[in-house]
Amino acid sequence: MGRNLQNSERLRPVDLARAHGLSAQAVRNYEAAGILPAAARTSHGYRTYTPLHAQALHAFLALVRGHGHQTATAIMQAANRDATEDALRLIDESHAQLLDDRRTLRAVEAALRDLEPVPQERGDTFVGPLSRRLGIRPATLRKWERAGVVRPRRDPQTGYRIYSAADVRDARLAHQLRRGGYLLEQIAALIAQVRSAGGVAPLESMLSDWRARLSARGRAMLTGAALLDAYLECRPAPPGAGPGTRTTASSVTGPAPSPGGSR
């Protein structure tokens, strides 16, 4: 069991706030949300926090960077109600999402890498030849058009769909991503970026930024996990755990903060 940080230094809301660049009200809001354990109260009703609360706040802010505010909140709420298994499950789910995002990035990179440029001199094509080239039905191309994946123009006299070289590029990229199991709305968003970038080649900087953000998120998860583990080690044992049973923060008494402290 970790050392008991509840029986040491007393801190005001403003003390926790300043150390983390927050407002005192934000600290009180975090306590009300269950992100921090309940604070003790003086005889005058002022909140008193301890280094345990500071450690909880430090862990939460680190978890936010790796898991997002909503998941970090749920993790700390679970930790503070002694539902450690729930907290660990939330962390596992977040790591699984990160792994899935990495797989998505690799699939997009592979699809773009394997996509050969379509020379403009090849000219336009129609739905039948394009569907045969891709090995799909014409109805599939029409479905992709409704989803915004391809945007063929219409022949003004016949009304036939005409696919330009850029449309063929988009259709081939969509075909590769569909084989990878990606949804049409996901593919449409990526192809919109391809169009706005003027082609596939300029997307390398976007993919590089995507890789960097995933790496930063993974590192942040490691930092958050280490700080959460330290916090869990310092929390008193839950009731019924034998010797050293946990006491609540509200049961800890100590000197009152200065009269200027916030409630």
Side-chain angles (χ1 to χ4, degrees):
M1 184 189 305
R3 56 196 179 91
N4 189 349
L5 297 184
Q6 289 182 310
N7 292 315
S8 52
E9 179 187 0
R10 297 294 177 268
L11 303 169
R12 299 168 300 167
V14 69
D15 296 326
L16 265 67
R18 286 173 180 166
H20 296 88
L22 302 171
S23 67
Q25 185 58 52
V27 172
R28 291 190 287 268
N29 290 344
Y30 288 155
E31 181 195 344
I35 294 168
L36 305 181
R41 294 275 188 158
T42 69
S43 58
H44 294 92
Y46 290 101
R47 289 176 173 85
T48 60
Y49 295 111
T50 68
L52 182 68
H53 293 90
Q55 196 161 18
L57 182 57
H58 195 31
F60 169 69
L61 295 176
L63 289 166
V64 168
R65 290 188 287 272
H67 301 269
H69 194 280
Q70 182 176 351
T71 299
T73 296
I75 291 170
M76 292 303 297
Q77 289 171 337
N80 287 326
R81 66 173 184 269
D82 300 318
T84 305
E85 289 300 316
D86 289 344
L88 296 178
R89 175 183 53 79
L90 289 165
I91 292 171
D92 289 345
E93 289 173 352
S94 199
H95 277 282
Q97 181 61 59
L98 177 61
L99 180 59
D100 188 56
D101 290 346
R102 290 188 187 281
R103 287 172 176 153
T104 300
L105 173 59
R106 286 197 298 270
V108 171
E109 288 176 323
L112 294 177
R113 184 172 57 249
D114 297 339
L115 193 66
E116 298 177 358
V118 179
Q120 290 292 336
E121 60 267 24
R122 292 181 62 174
D124 299 331
T125 188
F126 296 96
V127 64
L130 179 57
S131 64
R132 288 192 293 272
R133 187 186 307 176
L134 297 177
I136 59 177
R137 296 181 302 160
T140 299
L141 279 172
R142 290 191 286 270
K143 181 178 180 181
W144 291 0
E145 181 182 350
R146 290 192 296 272
V149 171
V150 290
R151 299 188 303 188
R153 69 183 189 277
R154 295 280 188 148
D155 183 284
Q157 295 184 348
T158 65
Y160 292 155
R161 293 171 172 84
I162 301 176
Y163 295 85
S164 67
D167 294 324
V168 173
R169 175 203 66 201
D170 295 345
R172 293 183 65 229
L173 177 57
H175 185 46
Q176 288 167 314
L177 292 173
R178 283 295 284 166
R179 286 188 301 183
Y182 296 98
L183 302 176
L184 283 180
E185 52 264 34
Q186 295 172 312
I187 297 170
L190 172 65
I191 289 179
Q193 292 176 316
V194 172
R195 293 191 190 112
S196 64
V200 172
L203 290 179
E204 178 55 38
S205 61
M206 180 199 76
L207 296 176
S208 178
D209 178 67
W210 190 356
R211 284 192 297 270
R213 285 187 285 110
L214 290 179
S215 294
R217 191 164 131 213
R219 291 288 299 273
M221 285 181 175
L222 291 177
T223 301
L227 291 173
L228 177 64
D229 183 65
Y231 172 62
L232 293 174
E233 280 292 313
C234 291
R235 278 177 59 78
T245 298
R246 173 178 302 166
T247 56
T248 62
S250 58
S251 69
V252 179
T253 59
S258 63
S262 52
R263 291 175 180 263

